[in-house]
Amino acid sequence: MRLHHLVLATMAFGCLWTSSRAGEGTNQLTEAEKLAGWELLFDGESTDGWRNYKKDSVSDGWVVEDGMLIRKSKGAGDIITEKQYESFELSIEFKISPEGNSGIMFHVTEDEVRPWQTGPEIQINDNVNGHDPQKAGWLYQLYQPKRPNWVVKAEKNAGLEEQGVLDACRPAGEWNQIYLRQTPAQSEVMMNGVSYYRFNKGSDEWNKRVAESKFSKFENFGKPTKGHICLQDHNDLVSYRNIKIRELPADGSVPDPSHGELAIEPVEAFPGLEWDQWEPVNEAGKVQAMRPIVITHANDDSGRIFVATQDGMIHVLPEGAESKKTILFADMRSKSAPYQKANEEGFLGLAFHPKHADNGKFYVYYTSKADPHTSVVSEFTVDPADANKALLDSEKILWKLEQPFSNHNGGTIAFGPDGYLYIGLGDGGSADDPFDNGQNLNTVLGSILRIDVDGKSDGKAYGIPKDNPFVGKEDAQPEIFAYGFRNIWRLSFDRETGDLWVGDVGQNLWEEIDIVEAGKNYGWNRWEGTHPFGDRDPSVAADAVMPIWEYDHGVGKSITSGYVYRGTSVPELQGKFLYSDYVTGKLWALEYDRDAKKVTKNYSIPSNKMPVLTFGEDQDGEVYFSIESANGRGIYKFASN
């Protein structure tokens, strides 16, 4: 009977669904991975770099077929890497046969009879019909997946039923991805991009768990701090591919994914600028930091620059970059929810009507103070007698959306070259997109909207452009321009080409940059960047568009998307896309070949770890960026050095 199952599994293995997105570049490193220090442990053609445990070569039971390393026949035996690793990150894809079982071990030494007597094992299993109660991704008898407490609490408050044991593994016969980070400070395991658990080898908690497991009788179990990676032979058919590793130094740092540094530097944009009606200390004597969240212009040839803060104060620099003092253009603190209670809420977006010089209209995106977790896009007008003063009582609410959670609100609004207003949204929040909004066209969450602020449609306060890609389609919201986003943190249009650039903040492993086209699906939550995510049906997003660039969470953890530079002050930046990472404070400039549709270079910009909140540009195409500051001097520009 066992042989019968194995034959059926072998026949089925080659014909099950495989994503074209994952299949492209199999057993290859992307340019970003190469630059960031990743290496291949399997080239897709040979078993070079591997050998059987305590042997000099690989047995005939392991074969290489169609770019896969397969444990295929009886007597294959456990195989290990020839090289030993201390601190590292490992990414590996596996496909287990029905009822099958295997494992991935690390820090294996050859001091004992079996590799699992020294090296901890990440279980590989058919979670539906497998015979082992330890599920795929569990650290065998030691750790199993657990949702963070904040996620459990947030989802309970949102009305979601409490789920059972976390399982992000796709069924037997489909590809899954294991990620392992092993360092002395902390280790972590993820399944298909979903965080499963963290641990620290040798800690009191670790030792307690080992003492309660079957491994307690093996003196050397878990003790080695350096060893081989091992793929287990458990007498079942299992395939591996895309086996990648990155060795880490003691401090856990990784190489910057750049082709070199540009000879430019950030400099303070408005030295000595005085902010109208802003004080660095509040009435209670506490420091109140300034968080400039939007930097933009009115496109009216006035040369003015507008800066909005996350707490809802919109300032105008009346003489542009030469201004010595701002004028408070609008104070929306009574309308906008305080970001101090939920740091992804508050005042988030500002855009001026393309004909602002004629009609005085501008638009804002904010979280309502009156209605919790509710996003609002409103229209305002300026005082006809004073172009530097907004009329707050002129508010006309165009669009409102109650968010299920306080995070992932997106918040960028921008007019495209077509004159329509684009609205960048998040998936609604929590973690891992629990409502599956990213792939649901019946909700606007997880998408970019495109609306006509000068018209009205179907009883709405705005119009829906007739050429929007989902107009007239069943089970789709007509406002949607593109979808499949987790949390858009800034979008912008290249003023020369009209291309729509988007930075999508990742979940656990990958940050991405997209050039967005109408009607396209950008993958979340089936993909995080170009990598599989979660256990939901991946065929739903089989047509997902790959990002043009991505970087992993060893490099940075929260992208801030910027602009294609079209100014004249810094020739070195001409035509390059500027972006940064909020967590690590790194700055980059990306060079993109539109004809070839690929990135040609990624340059780093030297800086002192600047956690960029946002980028902006003035009417001349000069680019600015902001960081939080206690003295109001947190707005910068670039200069040649």
Side-chain angles (χ1 to χ4, degrees):
M1 182 63 73
R2 184 66 177 170
L3 178 61
H4 175 67
H5 283 305
L6 182 59
V7 171
L8 288 177
T10 305
M11 293 171 61
F13 238 42
C15 62
L16 291 171
W17 177 89
T18 301
S19 164
S20 60
R21 191 174 188 183
E24 294 175 1
T26 301
N27 301 314
Q28 297 178 25
L29 296 172
T30 66
E31 184 67 9
E33 287 174 326
K34 292 176 186 176
L35 292 170
W38 288 91
E39 298 177 350
L40 286 174
L41 281 180
F42 171 57
D43 62 10
E45 298 177 354
S46 70
T47 58
D48 291 352
W50 296 84
R51 60 180 175 82
N52 275 87
Y53 186 69
K54 293 191 173 185
K55 303 291 184 181
D56 295 327
S57 61
V58 175
S59 74
D60 293 339
W62 289 89
V63 298
V64 176
E65 293 180 356
D66 299 325
M68 298 179 289
L69 177 59
I70 306 174
R71 185 276 168 208
K72 193 166 186 178
S73 59
K74 186 176 180 180
D78 303 323
I79 60 172
I80 61 174
T81 55
E82 291 181 349
K83 187 175 179 179
Q84 297 188 47
Y85 299 93
E86 187 172 358
S87 293
F88 62 89
E89 291 170 281
L90 175 72
S91 177
I92 180 169
E93 294 183 13
F94 72 87
K95 181 163 59 172
I96 191 68
S97 57
E99 301 186 18
N101 179 277
S102 185
I104 303 166
M105 287 166 270
F106 59 98
H107 282 178
V108 168
T109 63
E110 295 177 283
D111 304 316
E112 303 291 345
V113 177
R114 303 293 183 192
W116 52 264
Q117 293 171 347
T118 56
E121 175 193 341
I122 301 172
Q123 172 83 324
I124 290 177
N125 193 30
D126 173 359
N127 283 0
V128 177
N129 297 309
H131 303 291
D132 196 318
Q134 302 277 309
K135 302 299 183 182
W138 296 18
L139 198 62
Y140 200 83
Q141 290 202 5
L142 298 176
Y143 288 85
Q144 65 184 58
K146 182 181 179 182
R147 290 179 178 82
N149 291 334
W150 74 267
V151 172
V152 174
K153 182 179 179 181
E155 293 183 359
K156 182 179 180 180
N157 291 339
L160 284 172
E161 293 183 7
E162 188 170 347
Q163 302 178 45
V165 176
L166 179 60
D167 184 1
C169 189
R170 294 173 181 175
E174 293 188 13
W175 287 104
N176 289 276
Q177 182 188 64
I178 290 282
Y179 167 86
L180 164 65
R181 177 183 173 89
Q182 167 59 46
T183 70
Q186 189 181 68
S187 301
E188 183 173 14
V189 170
M190 300 186 197
M191 172 69 75
N192 292 327
V194 176
S195 181
Y196 262 22
Y197 47 84
R198 294 175 180 174
F199 60 94
N200 191 337
K201 277 184 64 186
S203 67
D204 291 343
E205 179 188 317
W206 170 273
N207 292 333
K208 180 176 182 294
R209 292 182 182 228
V210 171
E212 296 171 350
S213 74
K214 75 173 187 178
F215 305 110
S216 61
K217 59 186 177 182
F218 300 106
E219 182 180 355
N220 290 328
F221 176 80
K223 295 294 195 304
T225 57
K226 183 177 182 179
H228 305 274
I229 308 296
C230 178
L231 303 182
Q232 184 187 53
D233 173 12
H234 208 277
N235 297 319
D236 292 315
L237 180 68
V238 60
S239 299
Y240 297 96
R241 69 179 186 186
N242 287 332
I243 310 174
K244 305 174 183 180
I245 197 162
R246 176 165 63 188
E247 293 187 80
L248 300 172
D251 63 1
S253 63
V254 304
D256 187 78
S258 63
H259 295 90
E261 283 188 355
L262 292 178
I264 63 173
E265 61 183 344
V267 296
E268 194 174 338
F270 314 119
L273 183 67
E274 182 181 340
W275 296 92
D276 184 19
Q277 300 181 49
W278 176 79
E279 296 292 338
V281 179
N282 63 21
E283 294 177 355
K286 294 183 178 181
V287 173
Q288 51 181 13
M290 173 174 279
R291 289 176 63 89
I293 207 74
V294 182
I295 305 169
T296 189
H297 61 92
N299 197 35
D300 60 357
D301 297 324
S302 67
R304 296 177 297 166
I305 296 173
F306 291 80
V307 177
T309 62
Q310 196 172 349
D311 61 358
M313 299 179 77
I314 307 175
H315 294 263
V316 58
L317 281 64
E319 290 85 34
E322 304 302 317
S323 300
K324 301 300 180 185
K325 183 177 181 179
T326 73
I327 298 171
L328 187 60
F329 178 73
D331 187 349
M332 296 192 58
R333 286 176 292 183
S334 63
K335 297 177 179 289
S336 179
Y339 71 86
Q340 293 86 348
K341 293 183 178 180
N343 69 358
E344 294 184 34
E345 294 188 338
F347 188 96
L348 300 173
L350 170 66
F352 288 81
H353 195 285
K355 296 181 179 178
H356 175 77
D358 300 322
N359 60 28
K361 294 179 179 179
F362 68 95
Y363 301 82
V364 299
Y365 181 121
Y366 64 92
T367 309
S368 173
K369 191 174 186 178
D371 302 314
H373 307 321
T374 298
S375 298
V376 179
V377 173
S378 288
E379 176 187 277
F380 289 85
T381 57
V382 298
D383 187 338
D386 186 353
N388 291 328
K389 289 292 181 185
L391 297 175
L392 291 183
D393 59 1
S394 69
E395 181 175 18
K396 173 186 173 185
I397 295 177
L398 299 183
W399 174 89
K400 291 180 72 173
L401 177 69
E402 185 177 353
Q403 301 271 0
F405 304 98
S406 64
N407 59 336
H408 301 185
N409 293 291
T412 309
I413 55 175
F415 282 94
D418 52 13
Y420 294 124
L421 184 67
Y422 290 72
I423 305 170
L425 299 174
D427 64 9
S430 186
D432 308 330
D433 194 5
F435 289 108
D436 199 13
N437 291 323
Q439 292 299 311
N440 181 7
L441 286 168
N442 231 337
T443 176
V444 297
L445 291 168
S447 67
I448 295 173
L449 309 185
R450 178 178 183 248
I451 65 173
D452 179 5
V453 298
D454 296 320
K456 292 184 178 180
S457 303
D458 302 323
K460 303 178 188 290
Y462 54 85
I464 297 174
K466 293 181 180 179
D467 61 346
N468 269 11
F470 298 103
V471 168
K473 294 191 176 181
E474 189 176 356
D475 296 326
Q477 297 300 316
E479 294 92 339
I480 295 175
F481 179 76
Y483 68 106
F485 301 101
R486 179 179 177 272
N487 189 30
I488 294 171
W489 189 239
R490 296 324 191 196
L491 60 80
S492 66
F493 290 93
D494 181 347
R495 58 173 58 200
E496 184 174 299
T497 66
D499 290 341
L500 174 54
W501 289 74
V502 167
D504 195 14
V505 179
Q507 179 67 54
N508 295 314
L509 285 175
W510 296 94
E511 305 295 302
E512 71 178 76
I513 297 172
D514 301 294
I515 295 181
V516 174
E517 299 177 11
K520 297 296 180 64
N521 177 2
Y522 289 83
W524 177 255
N525 55 37
R526 303 307 195 269
W527 302 98
E528 184 183 23
T530 61
H531 308 266
F533 187 88
D535 64 330
R536 294 178 173 123
D537 179 9
S539 65
V540 172
D543 62 345
V545 178
M546 296 176 69
I548 64 161
W549 189 252
E550 63 182 358
Y551 62 88
D552 66 74
H553 277 199
V555 175
K557 291 180 169 62
S558 182
I559 190 169
T560 300
S561 185
Y563 288 78
V564 175
Y565 182 81
R566 298 297 181 186
T568 57
S569 297
V570 192
E572 299 94 327
L573 288 178
Q574 186 57 229
K576 295 180 177 65
F577 176 74
L578 294 161
Y579 70 105
S580 68
D581 187 84
Y582 178 75
V583 174
T584 58
K586 295 180 179 180
L587 290 158
W588 297 282
L590 199 69
E591 196 173 84
Y592 181 70
D593 185 331
R594 292 185 77 238
D595 294 329
K597 294 188 175 182
K598 70 174 185 178
V599 170
T600 55
K601 297 287 184 181
N602 185 51
Y603 296 101
S604 65
I605 299 174
S607 69
N608 293 321
K609 293 185 177 180
M610 307 180 82
V612 176
L613 293 165
T614 195
F615 288 86
E617 63 177 359
D618 62 21
Q619 192 166 349
D620 295 328
E622 298 301 331
V623 172
Y624 304 85
F625 67 90
S626 68
I627 63 173
E628 183 178 285
S629 69
N631 59 8
R633 298 175 61 181
I635 299 180
Y636 293 81
K637 62 181 180 180
F638 296 100
S640 301
N641 64 5

